[in-house]
Amino acid sequence: MQAVIMAGGKGTRLRSITNDEIPKLLAPVAGKPILQHQIEQLRGQGIIDIVLVIGYLGKKIRDYFGDGSEFGVSIQYLEETVPLGTAGALSMLLPLLKEDSFFLIFGDVLFSIDFARMERFHREKQSDATLFVHPNAHPFDSDLVVCGEDNRVLRFDSKHSQRDDWYHNCVNAGFYLFSREVCDQVPEPVKTDLEKQLLSGMIEEGKPVYAYHSSEYIKDVGTVERIHAAEDELNRGIPEQRCLKRKQKAVFLDRDGTINRKNGLISKEEQFALEEKASEAVRLINQSGYLAIVVTNQPVVARGLCGIEDVERIHMKMETLLGQEGAYLDAVRFCPHHPDKGYPEENPAYKIPCHCRKPDTGMLEDCAERFNLCLEDCWMVGDTTVDLQTGRNAGTHTALVLTGDAGNDGKYSGQADLTCADLLQAVEQILKRSEPNGRL
């Protein structure tokens, strides 16, 4: 596999660091240039054939990296004599490609990714273009990717558009896996926008464009503030910890009564409101080494009170509200089933026994496989004894919050590793116990 890095940016937002004397990819992060971090990540997973697309002050990049041999890789250069946007250089790339697919990486992102997982997804989907997508802490000012059920990309929602509706926190990260045929979509070296022109055109033509959702570390470091944040995360070992080659840990969160206020069987978006401290709690999880994953029983579908699309819309509201407060969820899983029949308006297709309804562990096991979780290092947090029993069944630690039902449903034992006033206190205690001198 080859990698192509778009290394031609001027980096006006980093002028206080570069002084217009070096290109932005030579800006230092934790003692080494952004581009060196990228090359070392590629080399660490066996990707040593690299093409650098250079432009502004490109000679300084050539002088620093040479042919790549000092960094354990082989580097070829493709130089833009005039700026060609984010995709125009693809028209000149084919003679340098040796494989049927290649990674395309924007130059201002730091990452720690299991490339093999993304490649498997790309090939299983028989995708022409696969986008690495993820939730972030500022979806309100980010370009969003709108996907169908099978992760096929339907369209892009520009950060400049007027958003007056709920949305999924699904952000294009600037990291791609393309088939070489994508280059044929740019026949001439003219200024071309990767998202607005190339990928949107492929979608309109019906070509397979897919979104690869991942919880792994990838961060835009195009501003001074984000560089400082990345340096702190590098010093804490967060990037490598979040790579799916390593075992992960998660805080599983119940929904009703834990993240949002208990309001009966919620079947309409207007019934949904976050608990007062929920955003702060989820934000703390995001800043730790844990993933934040919602697992919730939603029998409203089986009872015929609403459809799957209505639950999805409620979850879009949840993601939007959290995103407005700088918090995000790595995944949301819900069970629409209910085993008991007899309700007059029920939907018989969902009135079935299943492995996903809590206290069964199907949703947690699905996430364990998807995110390479070690369940023994995970927590299940909820307001009912059903949530506690789910954690015990899955082998996680458990925390009861005294919001919602506050453990008074009486279905199982109320014994928990932690009992806390609300989600924020539970997360604070979980993170405290996870510190080197903590009890876990």
Side-chain angles (χ1 to χ4, degrees):
M1 187 66 72
Q2 286 178 280
V4 177
I5 300 176
M6 305 299 288
K10 188 172 183 179
T12 54
R13 295 180 298 172
L14 294 179
R15 185 170 287 132
S16 63
I17 294 176
T18 65
N19 295 316
D20 289 333
E21 296 174 353
I22 58 173
K24 70 175 177 178
L25 294 201
L26 291 185
V29 178
K32 65 180 70 170
I34 296 170
L35 186 51
Q36 187 173 341
H37 283 283
Q38 294 184 328
I39 289 172
E40 288 176 355
Q41 282 293 322
L42 293 166
R43 185 193 64 208
Q45 294 191 48
I47 300 176
I48 60 173
D49 195 338
I50 299 171
V51 177
L52 299 183
V53 180
I54 58 175
Y56 176 74
L57 296 180
K59 183 179 184 300
K60 296 201 172 185
I61 292 177
R62 283 182 184 267
D63 291 343
Y64 190 95
F65 290 100
D67 63 2
S69 57
E70 291 187 15
F71 299 88
V73 297
S74 174
I75 295 177
Q76 301 178 82
Y77 294 89
L78 194 164
E79 186 164 6
E80 295 180 348
T81 54
V82 294
L84 295 175
T86 49
L90 296 183
S91 62
M92 303 181 288
L93 191 59
L94 278 174
L96 303 180
L97 296 179
K98 302 173 185 176
E99 308 290 342
D100 62 350
S101 298
F102 64 96
F103 287 102
L104 179 72
I105 304 166
F106 281 8
D108 54 1
V109 294
L110 295 183
F111 52 85
S112 181
I113 295 169
D114 184 348
F115 302 120
R117 279 180 178 254
M118 186 172 179
E119 184 184 0
R120 283 196 299 271
F121 175 91
H122 178 78
R123 298 196 184 281
E124 286 168 3
K125 295 294 187 182
Q126 298 183 339
S127 177
D128 281 351
T130 298
L131 291 64
F132 186 107
V133 300
H134 64 150
N136 74 10
H138 51 100
F140 48 84
D141 66 356
S142 299
D143 292 331
L144 301 178
V145 183
V146 181
C147 304
E149 280 188 18
D150 63 347
N151 293 312
R152 189 156 182 160
V153 178
L154 303 179
R155 61 184 176 85
F156 299 99
D157 181 5
S158 170
K159 61 186 176 184
H160 301 297
S161 63
Q162 183 68 35
R163 294 179 188 154
D164 54 5
D165 204 355
W166 313 121
Y167 50 82
H168 283 304
N169 185 344
C170 181
V171 177
N172 186 7
F175 192 102
Y176 308 86
L177 183 50
F178 287 166
S179 70
R180 60 184 294 128
E181 285 75 21
V182 170
C183 297
D184 295 328
Q185 303 293 313
V186 190
E188 301 292 335
V190 295
K191 192 171 186 178
T192 306
D193 186 274
L194 180 63
E195 192 174 277
K196 295 177 183 177
Q197 293 175 271
L198 174 58
L199 293 175
S200 293
M202 291 175 63
I203 292 167
E204 289 177 7
E205 293 173 13
K207 295 185 182 299
V209 178
Y210 282 88
Y212 173 71
H213 295 256
S214 180
S215 61
E216 293 171 292
Y217 184 90
I218 186 161
K219 190 179 193 74
D220 174 352
V221 288
T223 69
V224 175
E225 294 76 17
R226 291 176 186 170
I227 282 182
H228 292 328
E231 288 177 327
D232 174 67
E233 289 160 346
L234 284 164
N235 289 334
R236 291 190 289 134
I238 296 295
E240 290 305 313
Q241 186 176 338
R242 293 296 287 265
C243 179
L244 290 182
K245 282 182 169 291
R246 301 183 61 174
K247 282 292 183 182
Q248 304 294 301
K249 55 185 180 179
V251 178
F252 291 106
L253 304 166
D254 175 52
R255 198 191 81 179
D256 302 325
T258 303
I259 285 185
N260 60 282
R261 297 171 192 163
K262 195 82 170 182
N263 192 13
L265 292 173
I266 296 177
S267 58
K268 299 181 178 65
E269 61 187 86
E270 54 265 28
Q271 297 172 298
F272 183 95
L274 291 173
E275 281 280 354
E276 183 178 351
K277 301 176 183 177
S279 295
E280 186 178 353
V282 175
R283 191 164 60 245
L284 283 180
I285 299 173
N286 300 150
Q287 294 166 357
S288 73
Y290 286 91
L291 307 184
I293 301 176
V294 166
V295 287
T296 175
N297 290 345
Q298 291 302 316
V300 287
V301 177
R303 292 189 178 186
L305 301 178
C306 67
I308 293 286
E309 65 280 1
D310 298 301
V311 178
E312 291 283 6
R313 183 163 179 77
I314 291 166
H315 289 161
M316 289 168 70
K317 180 177 182 180
M318 175 171 62
E319 292 183 47
T320 304
L321 294 177
L322 288 171
Q324 289 171 353
E325 299 296 326
Y328 61 86
L329 299 167
D330 292 287
V332 178
R333 297 286 189 272
F334 70 94
C335 170
H337 309 112
H338 196 286
D340 299 334
K341 300 180 180 180
Y343 296 89
E345 71 279 7
E346 68 187 20
N347 186 335
Y350 295 97
K351 280 289 183 175
I352 58 172
C354 66
H355 183 46
C356 55
R357 179 175 169 81
K358 296 182 296 183
D360 214 334
T361 57
M363 290 188 287
L364 280 68
E365 292 170 0
D366 172 67
C367 291
E369 181 177 357
R370 172 67 184 83
F371 297 107
N372 194 22
L373 298 174
C374 175
L375 289 174
E376 293 179 358
D377 293 333
C378 296
W379 285 79
M380 179 70 227
V381 183
D383 67 310
T384 69
T385 63
V386 172
D387 297 313
L388 300 181
Q389 189 61 41
T390 303
R392 287 190 286 266
N393 289 344
T396 73
H397 306 291
T398 56
L400 176 69
V401 292
L402 299 181
T403 50
D405 283 337
N408 294 320
D409 57 303
K411 294 183 178 180
Y412 299 94
S413 167
Q415 184 176 0
D417 294 307
L418 290 173
T419 299
C420 301
D422 53 31
L423 181 57
L424 177 58
Q425 187 181 88
V427 170
E428 288 173 338
Q429 290 298 312
I430 288 168
L431 298 185
K432 184 176 180 180
R433 287 191 172 204
S434 300
E435 293 173 356
N437 295 325
R439 290 189 292 165
L440 290 178

